[in-house]
Amino acid sequence: MDFNQTEEQSLIRSMIREFAQTEVAPKAAELDENERFPVETMQRLAELDLTGMTLPREYGGAGLDYISYAIVIEELSRACASTALILAVHTLAGIPLYQFGTEEQRKKWLPKLVNYELLGAFALTEPGAGTDAGSLQATAVLDQSEYVLNGTKTFITNGAEAGLFIVMALTEQGVGTKGISAFLVEKGTPGLSVGKHERKMGMRGSSTTELVLKNCRIPRENLLGKEGQGFKIAMAALDSGRISIAAQSVGIAQACIDESVNYAKERIQFKRPLAANQAIQWMLAEMETDVNAARLLTYEAAHLKETGAPVSNHSAMAKLFASVIAERCASKAVQIHGGYGYVKDFAVERLYRDARVLQIYEGTSEVQKMVIAGHLLR
Ligand code: CAA
């Protein structure tokens, strides 16, 4: 692995950093406060060709490599984690469509995801099937030329705004994960509705909702991949998705360093800046070291993904480590800010709340350990 960024990756970093710091960061607190979806920022991301970043140019995508993608998610998260999450899950929906879709499916939907005519979402989780994703209960029954979908999906990021859902449902009972299939379901399909809106601790600028399927009829052509392939499609998508959550973690942790360094230089106690105290310096040094290690693991996973090598193990390690350090950095950042870190006037209060879910979504830390141990012991 080459530790130097390519010229293209450096250009993308400076472009997205400039955009994120000038247009995204100033809105982060307001999105959080009002639980507001960043309509205008998502439109700007589409104009910047970032809503189809990893998709090939033949479908209108930017054809960027995965390290560039990680850089974009990292820099966006550094400014506003909710905005980065919306883009990451939108990208997550495009990955299986490209990887497992027929040419007709790709031509029909990928350009719409790329130009942001449709926002993507990924509907795997159910009330009774979280970590044990393979135990889902939603069903899809073939009725002549249509599948009829029934069930409830939960914790669906982008649920309120998405135009295209990748939905996992059972086409065969009693055969475990081999009975799960994946489907493409468009917003507006009769029988598809958005249920409960979750009120969250963090990531409040992104919507998280239930998705209710009641005799929802979709054309047979909307089956993604083959019947029974749905669990593997979902797991393969999450292998890539977990790299973006690692990148999100790095961005949030970096923001914690940025805020802490500034504050430690400005805040005067005992007639000198906080930064003059070794206790503060040590915390900053530990944060910096943690973030660098997490960034390297993340870029390594992204690099492997780019080469086409198996990535489950490395994306799990990157997500496991980076999500833990994000919370650790956020905790230290709050500590450095003292009482001011506990109030909403300072960004670290939001960063602390946003960081918590990184160890939960797209597979808990415990799931990542199952994946890593599974590779060690096979
Ligand atoms: N790629 C391809 N196939 C895979 C795979 C992968 N990464 N991982 C497993 N499989 C295959 C296995 O090879 C196996 O196939 P065979 O039956 O042919 O041998 C099959 O899938 C079943 O595998 P397991 O027996 O390992 O499955 P399991 O039921 O024990 O579950 C698990 C394993 C790792 C716990 C999995 O259920 C899991 O990852 N759970 C967490 C789910 C998750 O991440 N949810 C996040 C929801 S999405 C989200 O959060 C997005 C958002 O909105 C932010």
Side-chain angles (χ1 to χ4, degrees):
M1 181 180 157
D2 186 353
F3 286 94
N4 294 311
Q5 281 177 12
T6 63
E7 202 182 325
E8 189 185 40
Q9 288 162 355
S10 301
L11 278 173
I12 286 167
R13 189 186 287 282
S14 47
M15 180 276 285
I16 188 70
R17 184 176 293 172
E18 160 82 12
F19 170 74
Q21 292 305 320
T22 54
E23 294 191 39
V24 182
K27 296 181 177 140
E30 181 261 317
L31 297 182
D32 173 66
E33 181 66 24
N34 299 321
E35 296 185 310
R36 183 176 76 79
F37 183 89
V39 184
E40 67 290 6
T41 305
M42 287 308 296
Q43 199 51 54
R44 287 283 292 127
L45 287 170
E47 287 161 17
L48 292 170
D49 267 353
L50 296 176
T51 41
M53 246 181 295
T54 58
L55 294 169
R57 290 179 201 275
E58 60 182 299
Y59 302 104
L64 289 181
D65 66 282
Y66 261 76
I67 294 187
S68 298
Y69 175 51
I71 289 170
V72 168
I73 295 296
E74 176 187 333
E75 291 294 337
L76 269 182
S77 303
R78 190 175 175 180
C80 173
S82 293
T83 303
L85 172 62
I86 295 163
L87 184 64
V89 172
H90 171 75
T91 307
L92 175 70
I95 290 168
L97 174 51
Y98 172 64
Q99 207 177 343
F100 297 94
T102 60
E103 202 43 40
E104 289 72 42
Q105 289 172 337
R106 289 172 168 188
K107 282 191 177 136
K108 181 170 180 188
W109 282 297
L110 285 178
K112 291 184 183 177
L113 288 178
V114 169
N115 67 20
Y116 189 53
E117 199 178 322
L118 296 176
L119 178 71
F122 185 79
L124 172 67
T125 305
E126 296 184 4
T131 286
D132 184 9
S135 69
L136 60 82
Q137 297 291 308
T139 54
V141 176
L142 189 60
D143 179 19
Q144 296 181 16
S145 61
E146 293 177 325
Y147 281 100
V148 186
L149 273 59
N150 278 289
T152 301
K153 295 292 176 179
T154 194
F155 295 133
I156 308 306
T157 305
N158 294 346
E161 301 82 12
L164 183 66
F165 298 87
I166 310 285
V167 177
M168 266 53 71
L170 283 176
T171 41
E172 191 179 349
Q173 308 271 354
V175 291
T177 57
K178 288 189 170 53
I180 298 172
S181 303
F183 298 91
L184 294 148
V185 185
E186 274 200 60
K187 183 181 192 162
T189 308
L192 173 77
S193 60
V194 174
K196 182 184 174 211
H197 289 240
E198 304 296 344
R199 302 204 57 226
K200 296 173 295 184
M201 175 194 284
M203 302 286 182
R204 287 161 50 88
S206 94
S207 69
T208 302
T209 71
E210 268 185 351
L211 191 66
V212 182
L213 300 148
K214 261 195 195 147
N215 293 323
C216 175
R217 287 182 169 269
I218 55 168
R220 190 176 188 167
E221 303 80 69
N222 288 20
L223 171 70
L224 182 61
K226 297 192 178 78
E227 273 200 15
Q229 215 184 354
F231 190 73
K232 290 186 183 182
I233 291 175
M235 290 298 116
L238 287 168
D239 284 344
S240 304
R242 287 168 186 164
I243 302 172
S244 69
I245 306 304
Q248 246 194 317
S249 307
V250 173
I252 291 176
Q254 183 62 55
C256 291
I257 296 178
D258 300 341
E259 296 294 330
S260 299
V261 166
N262 288 340
Y263 188 78
K265 284 181 179 168
E266 280 167 15
R267 171 82 169 154
I268 306 292
Q269 289 291 279
F270 301 108
K271 299 193 176 103
R272 57 186 190 165
L274 284 188
N277 297 294
Q278 198 176 50
I280 302 293
Q281 292 171 11
W282 284 19
M283 278 199 263
L284 292 173
E286 285 160 3
M287 290 160 80
E288 178 75 352
T289 308
D290 274 347
V291 171
N292 264 306
R295 188 177 282 120
L296 286 172
L297 272 179
T298 304
Y299 290 180
E300 184 195 36
H303 168 73
L304 283 174
K305 168 78 190 161
E306 196 54 33
T307 63
V311 77
S312 319
N313 191 25
H314 284 82
S315 61
M317 286 193 286
K319 182 188 183 286
L320 172 65
F321 185 77
S323 60
V324 168
I325 74 98
E327 192 191 9
R328 204 152 68 202
C329 286
S331 180
K332 284 182 177 139
V334 169
Q335 195 67 22
I336 289 169
H337 282 68
Y340 290 111
Y342 201 65
V343 296
K344 290 187 183 292
D345 295 348
F346 286 79
V348 294
E349 183 269 346
R350 184 184 74 254
L351 291 166
Y352 188 70
R353 288 184 286 105
D354 284 347
R356 189 61 189 88
V357 75
L358 300 165
Q359 292 170 69
I360 297 172
Y361 61 28
E362 298 210 16
T364 59
S365 288
E366 292 69 26
V367 163
Q368 311 312 322
K369 289 177 194 174
M370 284 166 76
V371 172
I372 298 160
H375 276 78
L376 268 179
L377 300 171
R378 71 184 169 186

